[in-house]
Amino acid sequence: ASRSSVRAVAFVDESQFVAGYANGHIRRWNIEDGQQLGPTMKGNGSVFSIAVSQDGRWIVSGDCGGKATVWNALTNEKVRDAEYGNYVYAVDISNDCTKVVAASYGTTDNVRLSGISSGTQLLPPLSHSRVRGVKFSPDGSRFAAASDDCGARVYNTHDGQVLFDSGTRCSAQTSWTRCSAQTSWIVTPLVWSADGQQLFVASKGGITSFSISDSSSSEWPIHENQSSLFIASNGIFISCSAGSSVSLWDCMSHVRIGSTITHTAELWCIALSPSGRYLACGFGDGIITGHDLRDVLPSKYFVRGVSEFHHCAT
């Protein structure tokens, strides 16, 4: 395993995941036996964000070299990259596997929507200053972006129109940045509910739930210590990490479910498998730990029809 810190992780399917490291390496791992799959991919500096298409064909990464890179997930070969001129903290791929959205920490023309196979820009660049995260809605008709100083917005995928704007309700640089002598952690700050009607945005110590239909919002306190949060979701429940622990929450009721998952070291990133059954946790020492959430959650919280595996590597 790489000794470099794990900055981003994303599942390919229920049996493998991809991790991005501070040294710029991107590695794909088999969960069952812990073996690396294929050659190491090399980004343009520290890898801050990773997304994998649902059909397993594409990987997209964003890095501190200011590039969003599309990779062939079958061969681990680079397909193309796009220069953004600032750290690319946010990438995502639509559920139909045809579109990619990437955003940098720049202030103007920093959010771009493109065709994943062609690279053709589908919209003029959008300006949403200092974006930390982007996420397509489940049906792909919209995508959300969360910013340090401009809050969260939802854009129409077809014409770029702003459909929702949180304003300053979710704007605070300290929400997704931890001051450190070494680095600032880059976290996943937003997820959608399965029906695409709620947008959850992580902030310091909690989550804000936005109803897209009427723009109402509710605060969802998570941790009393006001830690910065990492969140991941399968649309039914949210996995929320702060410090060295991970708690699980029902998307609809906002009630805590299951038991807290604790570690001895501080988490740097998390990801859920497509079904939600498996949780991957990345750490600063390069270790990635896997958890089978069937041990702590009822079966109703897992998306059905996704293939299973029977072992979980650490």
Side-chain angles (χ1 to χ4, degrees):
S2 172
R3 292 185 178 181
S4 181
S5 61
V6 185
R7 292 296 184 86
V9 63
F11 279 83
V12 178
D13 53 29
E14 298 294 301
S15 64
Q16 57 181 283
F17 60 83
V18 177
Y21 298 85
N23 62 5
H25 288 179
I26 301 168
R27 299 168 184 258
R28 189 168 64 201
W29 300 98
N30 184 299
I31 295 173
E32 188 168 350
D33 59 14
Q35 296 299 304
Q36 182 171 334
L37 300 169
T40 298
M41 296 163 271
K42 296 182 180 179
N44 300 279
S46 185
V47 178
F48 290 137
S49 52
I50 286 181
V52 182
S53 63
Q54 288 193 7
D55 61 7
R57 293 179 57 198
W58 310 99
I59 297 168
V60 178
S61 63
D63 56 49
C64 75
K67 291 186 178 180
T69 304
V70 177
W71 307 85
N72 182 322
L74 303 178
T75 64
N76 291 10
E77 295 176 336
K78 182 186 291 187
V79 178
R80 78 180 67 83
D81 53 28
E83 176 64 55
Y84 279 70
N86 208 313
Y87 294 170
V88 180
Y89 286 151
V91 297
D92 196 31
I93 300 171
S94 60
N95 284 354
D96 67 2
C97 311
T98 64
K99 293 178 281 293
V100 59
V101 61
S104 78
Y105 205 63
T107 56
T108 58
D109 295 341
N110 60 311
V111 182
R112 302 180 198 168
L113 180 72
S114 305
I116 196 165
S117 59
S118 67
T120 303
Q121 287 201 37
L122 304 177
L123 292 175
L126 303 169
S127 297
H128 190 172
S129 177
R130 306 196 188 287
V131 170
R132 288 282 184 179
V134 290
K135 187 69 69 174
F136 281 101
S137 63
D139 67 1
S141 66
R142 298 156 290 157
F143 64 88
S147 155
D148 271 352
D149 53 22
C150 291
R153 293 178 190 160
V154 174
Y155 295 91
N156 187 314
T157 302
H158 305 293
D159 59 15
Q161 178 183 354
V162 177
L163 303 175
F164 168 82
D165 191 336
S166 74
T168 58
R169 283 179 286 177
C170 265
S171 294
Q173 187 166 354
T174 55
S175 294
W176 303 308
T177 306
R178 294 184 229 182
C179 296
S180 165
Q182 297 178 329
T183 185
S184 58
W185 275 255
I186 310 305
V187 309
T188 305
L190 75 169
V191 295
W192 289 89
S193 61
D195 61 7
Q197 297 305 304
Q198 291 186 83
L199 181 68
F200 303 102
V201 183
S203 58
K204 201 172 179 68
I207 295 173
T208 302
S209 172
F210 292 102
S211 172
I212 302 304
S213 60
D214 61 10
S215 298
S216 63
S217 64
S218 61
E219 296 296 324
W220 185 358
I222 300 291
H223 289 276
E224 294 180 359
N225 62 4
Q226 295 291 295
S227 297
S228 296
L229 305 179
F230 304 74
I231 58 176
S233 179
N234 67 346
I236 302 171
F237 73 94
I238 290 175
S239 173
C240 178
S241 73
S244 60
S245 66
V246 180
S247 55
L248 308 170
W249 303 78
D250 187 291
C251 280
M252 297 304 295
S253 66
H254 301 184
V255 170
R256 190 166 181 161
I257 53 178
S259 55
T260 299
I261 300 167
T262 57
H263 304 87
T264 56
E266 189 167 13
L267 287 146
W268 283 43
C269 57
I270 62 172
L272 284 173
S273 68
S275 72
R277 291 183 180 127
Y278 306 103
L279 172 72
C281 300
F283 298 90
D285 60 2
I287 297 296
I288 300 170
T289 300
H291 300 275
D292 187 338
L293 297 184
R294 290 176 296 181
D295 297 335
V296 296
L297 290 181
S299 60
K300 68 178 183 179
Y301 285 105
F302 306 122
V303 178
R304 297 179 179 179
V306 180
S307 61
E308 300 181 22
F309 65 92
H310 300 289
H311 303 280
C312 197
T314 58

